[in-house]
Amino acid sequence: MLTEGEKKVLRTFRQYLMDPGRMLCFTGPMLATHKNSLTKLVKREYLVPESFKGAYSLTQSGFEAMRTCK
């Protein structure tokens, strides 16, 4: 089960119509706010951290979770 913070992150990916493998950058206050949730989603293998600071991509599992997240 996802935490509310993890759901917010996945809803952000949905807001920008992200597909698996497409990079989304979290910057400034947004990165600071969601840092713990982003880390948890990486551990769940829903996100992959990119080399660019604050950038993450959805995995296929993350994409499926994003589609069902309300």
Side-chain angles (χ1 to χ4, degrees):
M1 184 151 179
L2 297 171
T3 66
E4 191 56 37
E6 291 168 327
K7 289 178 185 178
K8 285 181 182 179
V9 168
L10 291 177
R11 285 193 292 264
T12 302
F13 275 88
R14 185 172 57 212
Q15 176 183 350
Y16 291 102
L17 306 174
M18 302 303 288
D19 293 324
R22 289 186 57 207
M23 182 173 69
L24 180 64
C25 296
F26 290 80
T27 60
M30 192 172 200
L31 179 59
T33 300
H34 296 299
K35 187 166 182 59
N36 290 336
S37 296
L38 290 163
T39 300
K40 289 178 186 177
L41 289 168
V42 168
K43 287 181 182 177
R44 289 180 187 262
E45 298 184 350
Y46 285 3
L47 298 180
V48 175
E50 300 291 345
S51 59
F52 191 79
K53 182 180 177 184
Y56 294 85
S57 298
L58 286 169
T59 63
Q60 187 63 41
S61 299
F63 181 72
E64 295 301 324
M66 174 197 73
R67 290 181 59 192
T68 61
C69 184
K70 294 185 182 195

